[in-house]
Amino acid sequence: MRNRTVLISGGGIAGPALAFWLRRYGFAVTVVERAPGPRPGGQLVDVRGTAREVVDRMGLTDRIRAECVHEQGMAYVDARGRVRARMPVHAFAGEGIVADIEIERGDLARILYEETRDRVEYLFDDSIDTLTQDADGVRVTFDRSAPRTVDLVIGADGSHSHTRALAFGPESAYARPLGAYLAYFGTPYPARDGWFTLHNAPGARVIGTRPTRHGTSSVLVSFAASELDVDRGDRAAQQRLVAARFADVGWRAGELLAAMADAADFYFDRYAQVRMDSWHTGRVALLGDAAWCPSPLTGQGTSLALVGAYVLAGELAAAGGDHRVGYRRYEQALRAHVTKGQEIPGGGVGGFLPAGRTAIRLRDASMRALTSRPLRGLATRLFFSHADGLTLPEYAAG
Ligand SMILES: Cc1cc2nc3c(=O)[nH]c(=O)nc-3n(C[C@H](O)[C@H](O)[C@H](O)COP(=O)(O)OP(=O)(O)OC[C@H]3O[C@@H](n4cnc5c(N)ncnc54)[C@H](O)[C@@H]3O)c2cc1C
């Protein structure tokens, strides 16, 4: 086989999933991850549609199921906590919907790491510094580890991918901001029930709680804003900004935001999608959020990463390691599936963040109507179009 050594940047979801499959096909794999270990944090992510088949083929369905969280659905409440609309997951049973697997992102990242760590080299607390490719390989220098030359480099280092910046150019050329920001953090407050409970406030703001596997709740806040001048590394400034934006919001906002300062897993970012004409250049390719971040508003990021990892590894193996063939087929097989996965369901950003009281009431009313029996088919198409239209290719094990 040509091109046996593969360096993957990013040990999140896409990176370890790719490492899993590449190892199975006989490649020698190294994963470099900037964090000191498998990175915890994040809320519930969905493994849906075609991705369920991928985890099945990995033999991980039972392991993942053992750690998954059974959320009842979404409930919208007013400033006094009265439920205005619900979107129960079970309402769609019998509509051709196979229930999603919901698992905390950090738990899934840890499972994928544990499944690969014995056969894959992990370099934690490190990052690629420079990449120089020629006809024979890619010369890589790191922040900490000794330089080395590998056959292929895959950037699976998330929506702000450093590999993409090094090999394809600046993020601004590929990231399309969606005009809104989000923060997540865990709280010690017990989950009151199994619902993802959300309160929309005028000014295009939403705050919500979700149950965790440990019986506590995690918080999501989102608000519409054009580009904000806040440093991605300045957690204190981000928290001040969130606190100021939600200072006058009712429901449980005050209590929930009080837990923000102590949260070890506080995460803040803008909503943006990544759109690229090509996911590879020479010996370097991109995967997952680095290549096509659909944004958390789609609920598809994790599923696309798992499916993408399966296809990229399979096509490289099927091409005998020839990256020119393997990378091209990877794109051909996935492009339409990814484009579909980038569609934001339920009215886009405006549907999630209605601007004023009337828009909030209208959204609640449409939610109630959509869960009524005659309109469930429409809701199924609007919210559950899982892009499970991809028939997974079969690749021979190495
Ligand atoms: C902490 C965190 C929390 C998240 N929470 C949610 C959530 O609640 N809901 C949701 O829908 N999506 C969430 N996401 C995004 C979600 O994980 C992805 O959309 C999806 O799973 C695709 O995964 P990925 O592996 O492509 O990217 P990611 O999961 O973002 O993983 C990328 C990995 O690359 C690492 N990395 C970044 N830069 C470098 C570098 N220079 N060198 C080496 N490694 C690097 C990161 O530390 C991270 O481990 C979160 C991502 C992170 C990192």
Side-chain angles (χ1 to χ4, degrees):
M1 168 146 50
R2 300 163 66 159
N3 294 331
R4 273 187 43 79
T5 54
V6 183
L7 173 68
I8 300 170
S9 174
I13 305 297
L18 178 68
F20 176 99
W21 289 108
L22 285 176
R23 230 4 241 123
R24 182 170 287 189
Y25 299 133
F27 291 87
V29 186
T30 301
V31 176
V32 56
E33 163 59 49
R34 193 175 51 180
R39 202 169 150 184
Q43 297 196 319
L44 296 180
V45 292
D46 297 312
V47 178
R48 43 172 62 164
T50 313
R52 304 247 332 239
E53 174 67 21
V54 170
V55 297
D56 234 20
R57 291 188 190 187
M58 294 172 96
L60 291 182
T61 299
D62 289 345
R63 177 113 201 254
I64 289 175
R65 275 198 182 290
E67 300 203 21
C68 74
V69 178
H70 300 284
E71 211 171 56
Q72 302 293 317
M74 292 166 91
Y76 286 95
V77 297
D78 64 15
R80 291 164 57 190
R82 292 173 302 195
V83 175
R84 290 301 180 197
R86 283 191 202 274
M87 174 76 86
V89 172
H90 67 74
F92 300 94
E95 307 281 339
I97 298 302
V98 180
D100 298 330
I101 296 178
E102 289 193 302
I103 180 166
E104 285 172 39
R105 182 201 165 278
D107 286 338
L108 181 59
R110 178 182 41 76
I111 290 172
L112 292 170
Y113 164 67
E114 286 172 359
E115 283 296 319
T116 48
R117 66 180 164 196
D118 294 340
R119 287 158 291 140
V120 168
E121 179 191 21
Y122 275 89
L123 306 174
F124 284 112
D125 211 359
D126 207 352
S127 171
I128 294 174
D129 183 27
T130 62
L131 289 175
T132 320
Q133 52 173 323
D134 61 26
D136 298 322
V138 192
R139 178 79 179 154
V140 185
T141 64
F142 297 92
D143 288 351
R144 287 156 43 91
S145 304
R148 57 174 91 175
T149 299
V150 294
D151 294 322
L152 304 174
V153 172
I154 313 289
D157 38 9
S159 58
H160 302 291
S161 172
H162 183 53
T163 312
R164 189 182 60 222
L166 290 174
F168 295 80
E171 181 169 321
S172 55
Y174 306 108
R176 295 194 189 174
L178 298 175
Y181 284 75
L182 77 160
Y184 315 115
F185 54 92
T187 77
Y189 303 129
R192 294 185 173 181
D193 54 29
W195 289 83
F196 183 6
T197 306
L198 294 139
H199 170 58
N200 282 92
R205 296 171 291 175
V206 70
I207 179 163
T209 63
R210 310 186 79 167
T212 72
R213 185 164 65 88
H214 310 284
T216 56
S217 46
S218 69
V219 174
L220 161 77
V221 298
S222 294
F223 55 95
S226 44
E227 291 302 278
L228 294 172
D229 188 18
V230 56
D231 187 333
R232 268 189 48 222
D234 190 344
R235 193 184 132 116
Q238 294 163 358
Q239 294 189 349
R240 279 196 302 276
L241 195 146
V242 170
R245 290 256 163 180
F246 285 78
D248 63 333
V249 170
W251 186 52
R252 300 178 57 203
E255 172 200 10
L256 295 174
L257 292 177
M260 185 165 58
D262 295 330
D265 60 350
F266 178 80
Y267 176 85
F268 180 89
D269 205 352
R270 66 178 183 184
Y271 286 108
Q273 291 196 323
V274 171
R275 304 231 176 190
M276 305 183 75
D277 291 336
S278 175
W279 299 325
H280 60 94
T281 174
R283 293 175 170 274
V284 181
L286 301 176
L287 171 70
D289 279 8
W292 57 64
C293 177
S295 99
L297 287 172
T298 63
Q300 297 283 354
T302 300
S303 295
L304 289 177
L306 291 168
V307 173
Y310 173 85
V311 172
L312 176 54
E315 292 296 348
L316 276 173
D322 185 338
H323 60 286
R324 288 161 305 190
V325 177
Y327 286 170
R328 195 178 65 242
R329 290 196 183 143
Y330 154 64
E331 282 211 34
Q332 282 168 351
L334 273 185
R335 180 62 73 170
H337 184 67
V338 164
T339 303
K340 178 106 181 85
Q342 288 184 316
E343 290 171 9
I344 300 173
V349 178
F352 188 55
L353 294 170
R357 287 183 202 288
T358 309
I360 293 170
R361 275 199 291 270
L362 279 173
R363 196 278 320 276
D364 292 347
S366 65
M367 200 67 97
R368 285 194 296 271
L370 284 169
T371 51
S372 66
R373 170 122 322 261
L375 290 182
R376 273 188 205 162
L378 176 62
T380 306
R381 284 196 297 283
L382 283 176
F383 293 95
F384 297 87
S385 59
H386 286 173
D388 48 4
L390 185 77
T391 305
L392 277 186
E394 300 280 346
Y395 301 109

